[in-house]
Amino acid sequence: MNTKLIVSAAAAFGLLAGSAFAQSSMVTGAAGGAVTGAVVGGPVGAAVGGVAGAIVGTAIDPPPQKVVTYVQEQPMPPAEAVVQERVVVGQPLPETVVVTPVPDNPTYAYAVVNHQRVIIQPKTRKVVKILD
């Protein structure tokens, strides 16, 4: 009974998210979620994980190349932020980290954290991209 409920829920989420499957971030999220779900919960876990990963994958779009280039060309600040937590795409930066808006694109901001440049969404402080 629970298996049928889980599969039905996965199918419903799949129908809701189906129109956005063309986005590469969604496909990557779906694949990662399916693998994780399969490891944790077998075939049913793969179905649920794939749908959940697809939904999460659509939430974070990569920044345009113009924003990436701008952030890469900025000089390193005299003082960098150091945080104990691992900086991960999709997770917010701590409030203690100072972020700088991207002038030509207010959708993005950046910071240097643990010797890495990161591009974030200023409203949510979620990391969008980590630059090497």
Side-chain angles (χ1 to χ4, degrees), residues 60-86:
I60 301 175
D61 289 329
Q65 186 58 43
K66 185 176 180 180
V67 170
V68 173
T69 302
Y70 174 82
V71 172
Q72 288 172 329
E73 291 175 348
Q74 297 309 302
M76 293 295 270
E80 298 177 21
V82 177
V83 296
Q84 298 300 318
E85 301 88 16
R86 187 169 165 234

Side-chain angles (χ1 to χ4, degrees), residues 41-61:
V44 174
V48 173
V51 171
I55 292 168
V56 170
T58 60
I60 301 175
D61 289 329

